[in-house]
């Protein structure tokens, strides 16, 4: 009896010790999701601006080189299709940002994970209290806590996020991607319904598909140059850091 109580007491003591020394200061799932959503929400605004240009290019170039006649009603119904389909595409693209950014920060190398005890640079604040900007400054090596992600924001986190967003666009706008077929089909259907002459339709379709692909490819390059160019996205840094440091 006595010995089993002693045994029990030892187990309790060891568990307490274990839970005391196991660090809790890793960016947990709520933190990962929160920080990824924060980036995603803010970066979507930059995408919106660039997509205005994307739509304009698609509309302006759609029938370049087509020798038949395009009535103004056919043109305006094609423009409307471009507007609607591009908006849907933008929603799908930016809707995936949180996932994309979570992968970028926490799964790509160097990964923001692992213990932050060796050496200990910052002390975890009490529950409900945020980390400070000093913690962000002091956590000067990569590990799993929010201050580490904050510290390496400019060096690793932002460039990686930007690169991933820009590569994701390139994939989605590839000639074998679903947006190309969705958009081409919708445009050809709308051209067929408006009064483009029936025997002009095949050549219109050929011209439109080529122009769409050229516009996609030009826009992928434009986007890679313009998205978060220079200091454009720095305006989000403060909000994102505050959000990040609010997680335990
Ligand atoms: C960034 O996004 C958050 C919402 O997640 C928003 O509250 C904040 O105003 C945005 N920051 C800027 C500078 O637009
Ligand atoms: C954007 O992606 C392209 C590939 O589409 C790549 O060549 C370029 O370096 C990327 N730009 C940035 C800033 O990551
Ligand atoms: C799409 O085409 C690219 C080359 O342009 C290729 O690398 C990629 O694997 C293709 N994707 C699919 C889903 O077929
Ligand atoms: C399409 O039209 C725009 C004007 O809106 C132009 O700047 C662009 O270079 C054209 N070509 C392509 C391939 O996008």
């Amino acid at each position: 009896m006595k010995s089993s109580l002693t045994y029990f007491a030892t187990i309790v003591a060891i568990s307490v010790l274990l839970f005391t020394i196991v660090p809790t200061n890793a960016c947990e799932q709520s933190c990962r999701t929160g920080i990824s959503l924060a980036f995603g929400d803010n970066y979507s605004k930059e995408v919106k601006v660039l997509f205005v240009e994307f739509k304009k290019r698609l509309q302006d170039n759609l029938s370049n080189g087509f020798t038949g006649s395009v009535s103004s009603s056919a043109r305006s119904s094609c423009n409307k299709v471009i507007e609607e389909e591009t908006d849907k595409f933008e929603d799908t693209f930016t809707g995936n940002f949180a996932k994309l950014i979570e992968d970028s920060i926490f799964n790509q190398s160097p990964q923001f994970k692992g213990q932050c005890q060796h050496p200990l640079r910052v002390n975890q604040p009490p529950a409900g209290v945020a980390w400070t900007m000093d913690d962000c400054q002091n956590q000067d090596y990569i590990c799993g806590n929010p201050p580490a992600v904050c510290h390496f924001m400019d060096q690793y986190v932002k460039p990686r996020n930007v690169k991933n967003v820009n590569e994701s666009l390139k994939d989605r706008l590839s000639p074998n991607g679903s947006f190309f077929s969705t958009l081409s089909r919708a445009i050809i259907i709308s051209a067929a319904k408006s009064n483009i002459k029936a025997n002009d339709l095949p050549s219109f379709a050929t011209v439109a598909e080529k122009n769409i692909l050229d516009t996609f490819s030009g826009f992928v390059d434009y986007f890679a140059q313009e998205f978060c160019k220079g200091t454009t996205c720095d305006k989000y840094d403060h909000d994102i850091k505050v959000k990040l440091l609010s997680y335990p």
Side-chain angles (χ1 to χ4, degrees):
M1 182 65 182
K2 184 156 193 247
S3 78
S4 87
L5 253 186
T6 309
Y7 178 66
F8 178 70
T10 308
I11 299 284
V12 169
I14 289 173
S15 320
V16 167
L17 191 65
L18 275 179
F19 281 106
T20 316
I21 61 174
V22 167
T24 54
N25 60 347
C27 187
E28 308 287 353
Q29 191 56 50
S30 63
C31 164
R32 290 163 165 242
T33 308
I35 182 65
S36 305
L37 279 172
F39 265 111
D41 281 356
N42 289 150
Y43 281 18
S44 298
K45 290 183 209 158
E46 298 301 309
V47 170
K48 190 159 278 309
V49 176
L50 298 178
F51 267 52
V52 172
E53 172 73 13
F54 186 30
K55 286 181 216 171
K56 184 176 181 318
R57 288 185 179 195
L58 285 167
Q59 292 171 339
D60 291 352
N61 294 310
L62 184 69
S63 57
N64 280 355
F66 177 61
T67 50
S69 75
V70 182
S71 66
S72 68
S73 79
R75 181 168 300 285
S76 78
S77 75
C78 285
N79 284 348
K80 186 159 170 284
V81 167
I82 289 174
E83 181 90 28
E84 290 168 354
E85 294 298 332
T86 309
D87 283 345
K88 280 193 252 170
F89 172 73
E90 182 184 338
D91 287 346
T92 313
F93 174 52
T94 59
N96 191 47
F97 277 7
K99 219 171 130 232
L100 187 81
I101 285 167
E102 183 171 343
D103 179 66
S104 156
I105 301 176
F106 299 103
N107 296 334
Q108 294 176 6
S109 171
Q111 288 173 284
F112 286 86
K113 64 188 280 190
Q115 294 196 12
C116 306
Q117 316 287 98
H118 310 294
L120 186 67
R121 294 280 198 248
V122 294
N123 287 307
Q124 172 128 29
V129 178
W131 300 92
T132 64
M133 290 293 173
D134 280 348
D135 295 333
C136 172
Q137 177 120 46
N138 294 336
Q139 183 56 60
D140 59 359
Y141 64 91
I142 291 179
C143 62
N145 67 11
V149 180
C150 178
H151 187 93
F152 292 97
M153 192 76 97
D154 285 340
Q155 192 178 343
Y156 292 117
V157 179
K158 275 165 47 183
R160 222 149 81 185
N161 289 347
V162 169
K163 181 165 180 287
N164 280 284
V165 166
N166 129 38
E167 280 167 359
S168 165
L169 183 74
K170 187 177 179 162
D171 280 353
R172 287 164 187 267
L173 291 185
S174 84
N176 54 11
S178 69
F179 186 51
F180 174 62
S181 50
T182 306
L183 179 63
S184 312
R185 248 175 248 164
I187 282 175
I188 292 160
I189 290 170
S190 96
K193 283 183 183 160
S194 54
N195 45 7
I196 284 185
K197 283 203 233 78
N199 53 357
D200 274 352
L201 201 57
S203 74
F204 176 78
T206 306
V207 164
E209 286 184 351
K210 179 187 182 301
N211 290 333
I212 291 171
L213 282 180
D214 287 349
T215 306
F216 279 12
S217 132
F219 183 69
V220 165
D221 293 342
Y222 174 80
F223 188 92
Q225 282 166 26
E226 296 298 319
F227 178 62
C228 287
K229 176 186 187 171
T231 56
T232 320
C233 290
D234 290 3
K235 56 182 175 290
Y236 304 120
D237 288 0
H238 180 75
D239 287 346
I240 288 174
K241 284 181 180 174
V242 168
K243 176 104 186 157
L244 176 62
L245 295 172
S246 74
Y247 290 100

